[in-house]
Amino acid sequence: MSYFSDIYKGIKTLLTGMSVTGGYFIRARKGAITQQYPDNRETLKMFDRFRGEVVMPHNADNRHYCTGCQSCEIACPNGSIEIIWDRAVDPETGKKKKKIDKHIYHLSMCTMCGLCIEACPTDAIVWAPNFENSVYDRSKLTKILNQPGSSVLDGIED
Amino acid sequence: MTDQQAQNKIKTEEYFINMGPQHPAAHGVLRLILTIDGEIIKNVEPDLGYIHRSIEKMCERDSYQQIVHLTDRMDYLSSHINNEAVCLTVEKGLEIEVSDRVKVIRTIIDELTRIASHCLWWGVMGMDLGALTTYFYAFRDREMINDIFEETCGARLTMNYNVPGGLMFDIHPNFVKRTKDFITHFKTKIPEYDRLLTGNVIFQKRTKGVGILTKEDAISFGVSGPTARGSGFSSDVRKHHPYSAYDRVNFKEILFTEGDTFARYQVRMMELWESVSIIEQLIDNIPEGETKAATKAVIKLPKGEFYQRVETARGELGVYINSTGNKNPYRVKFRSPGFSNLSVLNHISKDVLIGDLVATMASFDFVIPDIDR
Amino acid sequence: MNFTQMIIPLNITKTISDWIYSIMPETAASYTIMVIIAVAYLALFAVAGLYLVLLERKVAAWFQLRIGPNRVGPWGLLQTMADALKLVSKELTSTIKIDKFLYNLAPYFVIVSALMAMAVFPFSKQFQAFDINIGVFFLIAISSIGVIGILLAGWSSNNKYALIGAMRSGLQTISYELSVGLSILTMVLLTGTLQLSEIIEAQRTGGWLILQGHIPSIIAFMIFMIAGTAETNRAPFDLVEAESELGAGFHTEYSGMKFAYFFLAEFINMFIISSIAVVLFFGGWLSPFGITENIAWFPQVFWFIIKVLGLIFLMMWFRWTFPRLRVDQLLTLEWKYLLPLNLMNIVLMAIVIWLNWTI
């Protein structure tokens, strides 16, 4: 008789499985877990720690916090950050001081490990929650983070 | 004409089939060269190298902080556990003791990672056997874990949350609440997984008695993790060599003695419950403390060899660092679970059907970048 | 077979056929009508097949907590039309070492045999292209021709995956053909006729056959649905294209419109299996409890389509819930379970009829 009880048990397990999927089918209207991505662009909000790309915030006077100490450049495991710097004479003190010329960031090489941001002593670079990074030309992924004509905020020392 | 003569007269030929590197059943770019007689598999020859990135060599170039993020890319489904392995090794070398808070947080995230990994495995196991819906149910639950990770670490998969000496930053204020929400949600979903797939008669027929791996073979081939525990080989590193906070939680090591695909499946399903229980024990009393022990900006390990092993979602991951006292390691070797587990595949897939090989492979839970590195 | 006996669908077509007969000699007129009906059926069921694809995708999405196609047209209604257009406009690629003639023949074999079976279904009292007295027999015969197309496709592709898939298809269809045939035979015992329109007429007074034959009928229905799902090569019996084992199975090497034919044929076959089940078990175009029998304007097709869609939904439910069987288990299921049960069931049905236990 185990022949028939096998059939009965088999059919029962199949129906149990069907009841699970069937339950979701009935509740399908509110159950969708997918996101309608390009449509929900306005409402889509990333978490505040989201690692999108590295940016350098500037204040209203076009000043930033980067002293050009190169900690980020050293911390970066794959050479995504290059800093071109120079020494300039500070008009007030008359001493020579390091200042950045260009803070170059290769997004195409970045692995979003976050070591540069941890290494920065002045919090001059931060994560931006921007994830739409696709471009047609690879050279567009090389970004200069400091804006033209910007300078370091007074009193920032590393 | 006798049967023997008939057999001699009809000549059959074995032929080769490539399963992978672009095959739908191969997870990632694993290439299996199958020798097949009709539908019966005679030989399975894994061919690796399609995703070799020479991570071990790159480690020799990088500083100890920089090594950590490379291990994300090995077994990407248990990236946090990989990171932890490297950090534990470096901490061992530097002889620094991380705070309790770090240990507990690491353990919680380890177990969340394990659940996420097993969820994905469950979905893919169903999909490999033809039940496509499991994938979406598993991903629904995995998504909640990924959200927890994203809120705390900033990344969903390649988290890089560990640094030698602790954590990169403290957990997000929402972390505890979200984790508790997830645990309550997930406890209602595991029985549903069982109803949908585990009990299913077709699934049981496909997996029971298929791909039997004996305990002796498991030990001699160096199989570890749930795959070995399905054969009755007690190999849980968390139990035998506790690290982080595993010595202060109660959990069972799941052991099944059948050694078939269904036993391996059950080990992983039961491990989901164990992981849930570990998180429940820890989540309510995360001790206060610093999240990062003071380390020098340039870490130099003392001259010597350092080894640490951890239990990833797939098995035992060993990290070997040979240091000459410089800021870069002299040699790094990862003993990845996938590579050893793969070695036994040929041994247990002789004279089975193609469908059985797919089921066996699914139950091994391969992540190809982990095998190839 | 006398083609002039064909029942022309719906009343408007009556005037068209009268007009054609009035302007042409009789033989030419009957051939013209045949061509017109064939073209109409082809267009109708090609479109129906496309919408079944859409239905499958939507149903799958709802089972899987997704939304499904919703971009092309309102609620994604034009999605499969767009897909078909894309497939038509694609280049037909093939490998060098194929058997060209058989390779090109195979998709037509599959689609033509699928469409031919549609001819005998009584969608309503008038809407039936070809009412022959061996209708059920014709259906079984036609539906097993499709497998030749699949075998040809697998053999001529000169591809190992395709060959394995085709061989699996052969053994699967040969085995499950028995169960389909025997479960239909069980119901034919009850009606005593093979003509589809008469089978439906037999259910007008006595209730649907699944009720008339109670227990043996229900067993026959279950066996028929299992075997029918296997016959259409759908999950959990989709060993033929088992994507995790064989890539795409027998149609690995096909592209563009030829692939679309295989794809469409699968869905039309699903429609056919469901239609046979509706005719044999659920009273065809008869309304439940005769609720619309007296309403003259009510299209009887409605009930037929509703019932067919219900059974198609059941098959989709199977597909999106169950894992796939292994090839030896497939045969075990047929030869050790379905076939003995089926034979027992026939005897049971015979006893039921002999003792007049039918309702």
Side-chain angles (χ1 to χ4, degrees):
Chain A
M1 280 324 272
S2 72
Y3 178 79
F4 288 104
S5 71
D6 280 355
I7 295 175
Y8 171 72
K9 277 180 200 155
I11 291 175
K12 202 175 149 194
T13 60
L14 295 181
L15 291 179
T16 321
M18 282 172 76
S19 75
V20 174
T21 44
Y24 281 111
F25 181 81
I26 291 165
R27 284 172 278 141
R29 283 278 153 226
K30 55 181 179 181
I33 50 164
T34 44
Q35 294 193 0
Q36 300 292 297
Y37 163 55
D39 294 345
N40 68 355
R41 213 180 239 159
E42 271 73 44
T43 55
L44 194 65
K45 197 176 171 313
M46 290 288 121
F47 292 111
D48 47 4
R49 290 182 183 176
F50 179 74
R51 296 172 184 170
E53 62 168 322
V54 176
V55 293
M56 185 182 283
H58 289 65
N59 71 1
D61 303 334
N62 205 12
R63 311 291 285 275
H64 56 76
Y65 298 92
C66 182
T67 58
C69 71
Q70 291 180 296
S71 293
C72 50
E73 193 176 352
I74 296 163
C76 183
N78 37 29
S80 308
I81 293 175
E82 285 176 61
I83 296 172
I84 298 173
W85 55 276
D86 200 0
R87 285 188 198 279
V89 180
D90 196 323
E92 287 171 23
T93 55
K95 275 194 260 175
K96 272 199 165 181
K97 199 181 164 191
K98 209 171 173 182
K99 77 175 202 21
I100 56 167
D101 185 19
K102 279 177 183 167
H103 189 295
I104 301 167
Y105 170 52
H106 301 278
L107 179 57
S108 52
M109 282 150 74
C110 183
T111 54
M112 316 288 167
C113 66
L115 290 174
C116 54
I117 284 157
E118 284 306 297
C120 185
T122 57
D123 287 342
I125 46 174
V126 293
W127 285 117
N130 169 28
F131 55 93
E132 290 171 327
N133 288 326
S134 49
V135 286
Y136 283 105
D137 186 358
R138 190 162 50 173
S139 65
K140 283 183 186 146
L141 291 173
T142 298
K143 299 178 180 182
I144 297 167
L145 294 187
N146 57 325
Q147 288 168 7
S150 65
S151 59
V152 65
L153 210 63
D154 294 337
I156 300 288
E157 299 281 343
D158 50 322
Chain B
M1 201 160 57
T2 62
D3 283 355
Q4 189 58 46
Q5 281 171 321
Q7 268 184 6
N8 289 343
K9 198 163 186 188
I10 302 168
K11 276 235 169 104
T12 56
E13 251 179 66
E14 291 180 350
Y15 59 100
F16 294 98
I17 258 194
N18 279 318
M19 200 179 241
Q22 292 115 338
H23 193 277
H27 308 169
V29 286
L30 176 64
R31 179 179 172 213
L32 297 176
I33 304 168
L34 309 181
T35 312
I36 300 186
D37 179 16
E39 274 219 33
I40 297 163
I41 291 168
K42 291 293 173 190
N43 192 34
V44 183
E45 190 185 322
D47 184 15
L48 300 176
Y50 288 91
I51 191 161
H52 186 75
R53 296 142 301 166
S54 65
I55 285 182
E56 287 169 2
K57 189 71 189 167
M58 281 158 82
C59 288
E60 294 170 18
R61 178 201 70 184
D62 287 351
S63 74
Y64 288 103
Q65 289 101 325
Q66 292 171 346
I67 288 175
V68 178
H69 94 289
L70 288 172
T71 57
D72 279 338
R73 274 88 186 162
M74 290 190 333
D75 178 357
Y76 46 79
L77 291 179
S78 37
S79 56
H80 185 270
I81 311 180
N82 297 348
N83 295 347
E84 190 183 344
V86 177
C87 291
L88 287 171
T89 322
V90 175
E91 283 154 17
K92 206 185 222 177
L94 292 175
E95 289 172 350
I96 45 177
E97 182 71 16
V98 296
S99 68
D100 279 359
R101 184 178 177 80
V102 173
K103 283 182 179 173
V104 169
I105 291 171
R106 276 181 178 174
T107 311
I108 293 171
I109 298 186
D110 275 358
E111 291 309 311
L112 282 174
T113 312
R114 200 180 309 280
I115 293 176
S117 171
H118 283 356
C119 273
L120 190 132
W121 156 82
W122 180 77
V124 172
M125 173 116 195
M127 212 162 80
D128 274 350
L129 296 179
L132 297 162
T133 307
T134 58
Y135 194 70
F136 294 88
Y137 295 172
F139 259 63
R140 171 196 57 197
D141 304 330
R142 189 170 175 272
E143 199 69 8
M144 294 180 76
I145 304 180
N146 279 349
D147 280 349
I148 297 172
F149 291 161
E150 193 179 349
E151 194 169 39
T152 286
C153 318
R156 302 165 72 80
L157 206 64
T158 54
M159 297 189 284
N160 196 30
Y161 186 44
N162 282 308
V163 290
L167 304 168
M168 205 176 249
F169 30 71
D170 204 358
I171 49 171
H172 196 270
N174 287 346
F175 177 79
V176 175
K177 190 185 161 295
R178 266 183 189 272
T179 310
K180 280 182 183 166
D181 285 353
F182 168 73
I183 291 296
T184 7
H185 166 84
F186 194 58
K187 274 163 127 179
T188 62
K189 294 301 169 194
I190 307 176
E192 196 180 276
Y193 288 7
D194 285 336
R195 280 167 60 213
L196 180 60
L197 196 63
T198 315
N200 192 306
V201 63
I202 302 173
F203 179 77
Q204 296 208 350
K205 290 263 185 225
R206 281 293 301 272
T207 51
K208 273 189 181 163
V210 169
I212 293 174
L213 171 66
T214 59
K215 189 178 177 182
E216 290 70 36
D217 285 341
I219 294 170
S220 58
F221 277 90
V223 177
S224 59
T227 314
R229 293 198 282 280
S231 308
F233 172 29
S234 166
S235 63
D236 199 331
V237 181
R238 295 175 293 169
K239 202 83 187 169
H240 295 290
H241 307 278
Y243 55 94
S244 289
Y246 284 112
D247 47 357
R248 64 185 79 173
V249 289
N250 289 319
F251 68 99
K252 290 205 299 283
E253 181 179 5
I254 312 292
L255 284 177
F256 279 81
T257 47
E258 289 90 344
D260 57 357
T261 301
F262 193 64
R264 290 189 280 274
Y265 173 86
Q266 275 180 309
V267 168
R268 288 200 169 84
M269 292 310 273
M270 305 278 274
E271 276 194 3
L272 287 175
W273 286 111
E274 291 304 316
S275 294
V276 165
S277 132
I278 291 173
I279 295 169
E280 274 182 331
Q281 289 171 44
L282 292 174
I283 192 70
D284 274 327
N285 35 28
I286 302 176
E288 292 299 317
E290 56 178 3
T291 51
K292 195 177 170 187
T295 50
K296 287 183 187 146
V298 179
I299 296 176
K300 285 183 180 171
L301 284 197
K303 199 167 187 302
E305 296 171 314
F306 306 98
Y307 187 74
Q308 171 70 40
R309 46 194 194 160
V310 295
E311 180 80 14
T312 72
R314 260 149 224 90
E316 179 185 323
L317 171 75
V319 178
Y320 167 82
I321 296 180
N322 190 338
S323 167
T324 50
N326 286 333
K327 66 184 168 91
N328 304 334
Y330 175 70
R331 173 80 170 93
V332 175
K333 160 79 185 156
F334 297 109
R335 184 257 180 231
S336 65
F339 189 75
S340 309
N341 291 1
L342 179 68
S343 66
V344 83
L345 188 65
N346 187 21
H347 185 71
I348 63 170
S349 313
K350 291 254 166 73
D351 295 325
V352 297
L353 295 166
I354 299 176
D356 287 339
L357 177 70
V358 172
T360 314
M361 262 175 69
S363 75
F364 270 65
D365 191 14
F366 290 128
V367 167
I368 311 306
D370 178 40
I371 298 171
D372 233 358
R373 298 193 294 285
Chain C
M1 281 185 278
N2 188 352
F3 284 105
T4 51
Q5 278 179 355
M6 273 191 302
I7 298 170
I8 314 294
L10 306 178
N11 290 333
I12 27 163
T13 53
K14 182 94 174 116
T15 41
I16 297 175
S17 84
D18 285 348
W19 176 69
I20 289 171
Y21 272 103
S22 67
I23 60 163
M24 280 186 214
E26 196 171 326
T27 330
S30 79
Y31 279 114
T32 315
I33 287 172
M34 265 168 8
V35 169
I36 289 172
I37 290 174
V39 169
Y41 262 58
L42 191 70
L44 191 65
F45 290 107
V47 174
L50 283 181
Y51 276 94
L52 282 180
V53 176
L54 183 70
L55 183 73
E56 166 106 60
R57 289 178 65 179
K58 275 284 187 192
V59 166
W62 290 334
F63 276 130
Q64 297 177 339
L65 310 165
R66 294 186 285 121
I67 294 170
N70 65 347
R71 295 293 154 120
V72 188
W75 305 292
L77 280 177
L78 298 177
Q79 178 69 51
T80 43
M81 290 289 181
D83 288 347
L85 263 179
K86 183 206 79 172
L87 285 170
V88 171
S89 60
K90 273 182 96 165
E91 186 193 352
L92 295 168
T93 58
S94 61
T95 50
I96 298 168
K97 290 191 174 178
I98 50 166
D99 186 329
K100 273 230 166 60
F101 176 68
L102 295 182
Y103 177 85
N104 291 325
L105 183 67
Y108 296 99
F109 237 109
V110 175
I111 190 90
V112 165
S113 67
L115 285 169
M116 264 167 85
M118 300 309 304
V120 293
F121 283 117
F123 293 100
S124 76
K125 201 173 173 111
Q126 287 88 29
F127 190 177
Q128 184 179 14
F130 188 34
D131 189 16
I132 45 175
N133 56 1
I134 51 160
V136 173
F137 187 68
F138 177 79
L139 277 175
I140 298 173
I142 283 292
S143 66
S144 44
I145 289 182
V147 69
I148 297 176
I150 293 177
L151 281 169
L152 285 183
W155 174 255
S156 61
S157 293
N158 195 17
N159 178 316
K160 290 168 198 164
Y161 297 117
L163 187 61
I164 297 176
M167 289 303 141
R168 283 180 177 188
S169 169
L171 65 92
Q172 183 173 335
T173 312
I174 288 164
S175 311
Y176 280 84
E177 198 69 39
L178 273 169
S179 277
V180 170
L182 283 174
S183 53
I184 290 178
L185 198 62
T186 320
M187 302 316 288
V188 170
L189 275 182
L190 202 58
T191 58
T193 172
L194 290 170
Q195 192 165 1
L196 291 174
S197 56
E198 281 183 24
I199 290 176
I200 291 178
E201 282 305 317
Q203 305 179 52
R204 187 188 286 279
T205 48
W208 296 352
L209 285 184
I210 197 164
L211 299 175
Q212 279 189 35
H214 48 89
I215 295 169
S217 276
I218 290 166
I219 297 174
F221 172 66
M222 285 166 77
I223 292 172
F224 181 80
M225 281 316 281
I226 295 170
T229 313
E231 193 86 327
T232 49
N233 295 331
R234 284 175 61 83
F237 304 99
D238 61 343
L239 294 146
V240 178
E241 41 200 313
E243 73 281 341
S244 64
E245 294 161 28
L246 300 179
F250 66 94
H251 58 63
T252 308
E253 295 290 350
Y254 282 89
S255 68
M257 205 52 214
K258 286 179 196 158
F259 163 72
Y261 281 154
F262 283 121
F263 200 63
L264 211 57
E266 179 190 327
F267 283 87
I268 295 176
N269 276 329
M270 197 161 80
F271 192 88
I272 291 169
I273 291 291
S274 304
S275 299
I276 297 176
V278 164
V279 170
L280 283 174
F281 298 95
F282 294 103
W285 41 262
L286 294 172
S287 56
F289 312 113
I291 45 175
T292 57
E293 289 305 294
N294 300 325
I295 308 172
W297 53 266
F298 196 86
Q300 292 161 324
V301 184
F302 173 79
W303 290 113
F304 191 89
I305 298 294
I306 285 290
K307 289 169 189 171
V308 166
L309 286 181
L311 290 181
I312 285 177
F313 173 73
L314 190 65
M315 288 169 85
M316 289 176 178
W317 198 350
F318 290 159
R319 171 162 182 180
W320 298 109
T321 307
F322 299 144
R324 180 182 305 122
L325 279 89
R326 207 170 56 207
V327 67
D328 57 328
Q329 288 161 357
L330 182 90
L331 298 178
T332 311
L333 176 67
E334 164 64 21
W335 296 100
K336 287 199 179 158
Y337 290 93
L338 294 187
L339 192 64
L341 281 179
N342 223 332
L343 291 170
M344 271 190 283
N345 197 33
I346 287 192
V347 176
L348 192 66
M349 181 60 109
I351 293 170
V352 162
I353 294 166
W354 182 44
L355 296 173
N356 254 334
W357 280 351
T358 51
I359 297 169

